[in-house]
């Protein structure tokens, strides 16, 4: 049985248009998750360890103010297009579109005011919550009125996130949730003792601005071969890696499949990622620097969390040989990601 509770979390500042931000608490016997109507943000995700103790395993803030200020997309749904678009530019039907540049020379996670920085309309479901918004034609430079629904449902140890969208004009779209996890509990200093595996035979090498070069490279014989579990800290050392911020190319298909697994031996916590998406961005919190005050006055240093963002491949709108990222009028965008928590 999942219970769903709603409560007021805060008020948007007047300069942001005001408006009440609600928090939705989804609770099963093994997982408790809190989600805001602002940015569809997962603020809390508590799960049991092997002793039956609950801990919050996602980074975030105690108050709305933390989320309305600049932060690295903690827990948020990002869009219209997750990840980077080179030079913030693309061409559709002979017309060039220019987006806001918010990541060096590139556009990242939807631009200056993406889906993570707006209020969504909530609807309570028996075992979760659905959020809706209309992203108007021209918002952040993107074409078409885009209707978007993001649905979170909790069943036992499984949190499902479903994304649906319809558009009035052809537009690129790639939605994901940008939660930062530490299975030792948020506020723990690093994720080096986590064991991770990713079911991918290839990955996308990137240039120095983190844009894929266009090559689809085999993981075999490289530090990107995560097909068998590796202990993260030792693996980074062995391959002299500063961390990961790369797209791993998943087996294509519309069906649900297991794509990543993280195990934390000291607590026994396991997290599996299942998805219908063609890619997963593995990010090890390389840009965290301890400057943000998080929940319970925790600081978040470099490598104190990881993200596993299921999505389309970065810059796919400019790379025709990447999976299709365009949504046309009359079609429906529909993807689901399942996060499955258990203890070993």
């Amino acid at each position: 049985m999942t219970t769903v509770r709603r409560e007021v979390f805060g008020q948007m500042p007047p300069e942001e248009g005001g408006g009440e931000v609600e928090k939705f608490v989804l609770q099963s016997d093994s997982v408790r998750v809190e989600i805001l109507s602002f940015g569809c943000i997962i603020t809390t995700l508590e799960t049991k360890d092997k002793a039956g103790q609950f801990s919050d395993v996602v980074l975030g803030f105690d108050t709305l103010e933390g989320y309305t200020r600049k932060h690295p997309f903690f827990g948020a749904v990002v869009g219209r297009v997750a990840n980077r678009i080179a030079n913030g530019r693309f061409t559709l039907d002979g017309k060039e579109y220019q987006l806001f540049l918010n990541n060096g020379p590139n556009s990242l996670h939807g631009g200056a005011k993406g889906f993570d920085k707006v209020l969504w309309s909530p609807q309570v479901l028996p075992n979760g919550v659905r959020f809706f918004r209309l992203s108007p034609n021209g918002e952040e430079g993107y074409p078409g009125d885009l209707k978007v629904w993001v649905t979170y449902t909790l069943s036992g140890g499984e949190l499902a996130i479903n994304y649906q969208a319809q558009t009035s004009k052809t537009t690129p779209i790639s939605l994901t949730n940008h939660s930062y996890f530490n299975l030792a509990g948020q506020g723990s200093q690093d994720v080096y003792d986590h064991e991770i595996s990713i079911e991918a035979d290839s990955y996308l090498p990137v240039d120095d601005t983190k844009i894929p070069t266009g090559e689809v490279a085999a993981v075999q014989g490289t530090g990107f071969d995560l097909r068998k579990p590796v202990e993260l800290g030792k693996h980074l050392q062995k391959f002299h890696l500063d961390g990961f911020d790369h797209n791993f190319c998943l087996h294509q298909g519309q069906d649900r499949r297991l794509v990543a697994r993280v195990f934390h031996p000291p607590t026994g916590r396991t997290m599996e990622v299942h998805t219908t998406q063609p890619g997963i961005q593995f990010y090890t919190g390389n840009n965290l620097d301890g400057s943000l005050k998080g929940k319970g006055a925790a600081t978040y240093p470099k490598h104190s969390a990881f993200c596993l963002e299921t999505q389309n491949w970065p810059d796919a709108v400019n790379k025709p040989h990447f999976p299709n990222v365009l949504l046309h009028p009359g079609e429906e965008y529909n993807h689901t990601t399942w996060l499955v928590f258990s203890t070993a």
Side-chain angles (χ1 to χ4, degrees):
M1 257 305 281
T2 299
T3 60
V4 183
R5 203 173 77 243
R6 69 193 296 176
E7 54 193 59
V8 175
F9 186 70
Q11 286 286 134
M12 290 296 290
E15 64 272 16
E16 294 285 331
E20 191 171 81
V21 177
E22 287 188 283
K23 176 171 81 176
F24 298 83
V25 184
L26 281 45
Q27 187 155 8
S28 72
D29 53 358
S30 58
V31 173
R32 182 173 174 276
V33 58
E34 300 182 0
I35 308 158
L36 302 183
S37 57
F38 176 71
C40 302
I41 291 171
I42 294 176
T43 59
T44 301
L45 200 159
E46 294 177 356
T47 172
K48 283 180 181 173
D49 65 10
K50 59 191 174 190
Q53 297 294 310
F54 278 92
S55 279
D56 184 2
V57 298
V58 294
L59 276 52
F61 304 104
D62 289 321
T63 63
L64 179 59
E65 193 184 11
Y67 293 106
T68 56
R69 288 198 296 240
K70 188 172 163 55
H71 68 94
F73 305 95
F74 285 153
V77 165
V78 292
R80 277 185 200 191
V81 176
N83 219 308
R84 295 170 179 86
I85 293 178
N87 305 307
R89 268 207 303 274
F90 60 89
T91 302
L92 271 184
D93 302 327
K95 182 177 176 193
E96 184 174 276
Y97 292 87
Q98 178 66 56
L99 311 171
F100 185 78
L101 306 181
N102 61 336
N103 185 248
N106 306 316
S107 182
L108 175 71
H109 292 331
K113 190 176 181 179
F115 289 4
D116 60 299
K117 298 181 184 73
V118 291
L119 272 175
W120 294 62
S121 304
Q123 175 195 355
V124 171
L125 305 176
N127 60 340
V129 57
R130 176 177 293 132
F131 298 101
F132 170 79
R133 82 175 293 256
L134 172 67
S135 171
N137 179 44
E139 182 174 65
E140 286 297 322
Y142 286 97
D145 286 331
L146 186 76
K147 293 177 177 172
V148 191
W149 296 264
V150 178
T151 307
Y152 292 91
T153 48
L154 180 64
S155 174
E158 180 174 283
L159 178 67
I161 312 173
N162 174 257
Y163 307 89
Q164 288 168 279
Q166 296 163 355
T167 186
S168 65
K169 287 184 192 167
T170 301
T171 184
I173 178 173
S174 175
L175 302 177
T176 192
N177 177 282
H178 207 309
S179 286
Y180 287 68
F181 296 95
N182 186 321
L183 298 185
Q186 72 89 27
S188 301
Q189 287 304 287
D190 61 63
V191 289
Y192 297 143
D193 59 354
H194 289 51
E195 294 173 6
I196 181 148
S197 56
I198 297 178
E199 296 279 332
D201 298 327
S202 52
Y203 78 102
L204 300 180
V206 293
D207 66 18
D208 54 10
T209 74
K210 299 280 193 291
I211 291 288
T213 60
E215 181 193 0
V216 181
V219 300
Q220 182 75 39
T222 74
F224 295 87
D225 192 345
L226 304 176
R227 291 173 296 186
K228 291 196 169 67
V230 302
E231 188 179 319
L232 197 55
K234 287 179 179 161
H235 186 81
L236 293 176
Q237 277 183 317
K238 177 182 174 183
F239 288 95
H240 307 292
L241 296 169
D242 185 49
F244 289 94
D245 191 1
H246 295 79
N247 177 81
F248 286 75
C249 308
L250 305 175
H251 300 291
Q252 303 288 307
Q254 284 305 298
D255 298 335
R256 169 178 176 159
R257 56 214 183 280
L258 171 65
V259 296
R261 189 171 184 273
V262 187
F263 174 53
H264 184 243
T267 61
R269 285 192 182 93
T270 298
M271 173 176 135
E272 288 181 354
V273 183
H274 302 244
T275 192
T276 58
Q277 290 275 26
I280 188 166
Q281 185 87 2
F282 178 37
Y283 173 54
T284 48
N286 313 329
N287 298 321
L288 298 174
D289 59 8
S291 62
L292 290 170
K293 269 280 185 285
K295 291 180 280 192
T299 54
Y300 300 137
K302 182 175 176 173
H303 296 164
S304 61
F306 65 88
C307 304
L308 285 165
E309 305 154 63
T310 53
Q311 56 189 359
N312 206 315
W313 299 5
D315 200 35
V317 71
N318 291 312
K319 296 190 167 59
H321 62 296
F322 282 10
N324 172 46
V325 71
L326 297 179
L327 179 68
H328 301 278
E331 297 175 345
E332 181 169 68
Y333 175 91
N334 193 336
H335 278 289
T336 308
T337 294
W338 297 264
L339 304 176
V340 185
F341 298 93
S342 60
T343 48

